[in-house]
Amino acid sequence: MADIKQSLAKLMELDGAVGTCLVDSSSGMMLGEAGGQGVINLELAAAGNTEVVRAKRKTMDALGLKDSIEDILITLGDQYHLIRPLASNDSIFLYVVLDRSKGNLAMARHQLNGIEKELVLP
């Protein structure tokens, strides 16, 4: 079991990790952050990706899909952005930015899954 700070520190150990945060999607506020300095504004990214999660849930509802989001991947030219709602509380999500030239997407998704399972919220 790991707390927020420990979990985010583990995420920063992923190959190519640039920054990560834990976000409350009901407010768009960060509950914790690691990295990101000089590369990405994690506070702005948290708020923006909250809208991505909300839009996906709204679309799923409109389609009548009775399922949950495992993760959302946004692929940019130089980066991967992974959004993973927590299974224990889907109003909270982990967000990770990877340098595409250094990261391994499949391994990152696998490790993110493990870290998410170990995360204990206060």
Side-chain angles (χ1 to χ4, degrees):
M1 297 295 141
D3 65 16
I4 295 170
K5 187 175 182 178
Q6 292 167 328
S7 295
L8 296 176
K10 278 186 179 179
L11 287 170
M12 286 303 297
E13 293 173 6
L14 295 173
D15 289 341
V18 172
T20 184
C21 58
L22 185 69
V23 183
D24 179 345
S25 68
S26 60
S27 66
M29 300 296 290
M30 285 192 308
L31 304 174
E33 67 178 307
Q37 295 85 359
V39 179
I40 188 163
N41 180 331
L42 290 172
E43 191 171 344
L44 184 58
N49 285 306
T50 293
E51 294 304 317
V52 171
V53 172
R54 288 178 183 164
K56 185 59 192 170
R57 287 191 176 128
K58 184 177 177 181
T59 302
M60 289 172 64
D61 287 343
L63 293 170
L65 299 175
K66 306 295 182 211
D67 208 344
S68 59
I69 299 169
E70 182 175 332
D71 60 31
I72 298 170
L73 168 64
I74 300 169
T75 305
L76 304 179
D78 294 330
Q79 297 174 337
Y80 294 122
H81 292 232
L82 285 165
I83 301 167
R84 184 176 185 92
L86 302 184
S88 62
N89 182 347
D90 74 350
S91 69
I92 297 175
F93 65 87
L94 283 164
Y95 171 65
V96 183
V97 179
L98 300 171
D99 179 317
R100 191 169 170 173
S101 68
K102 298 175 185 170
N104 178 318
L105 182 57
M107 185 58 72
R109 289 184 71 222
H110 175 73
Q111 290 175 318
L112 180 57
N113 179 40
I115 292 167
E116 182 255 331
K117 287 179 180 176
E118 293 179 1
L119 174 62
V120 176
L121 298 176

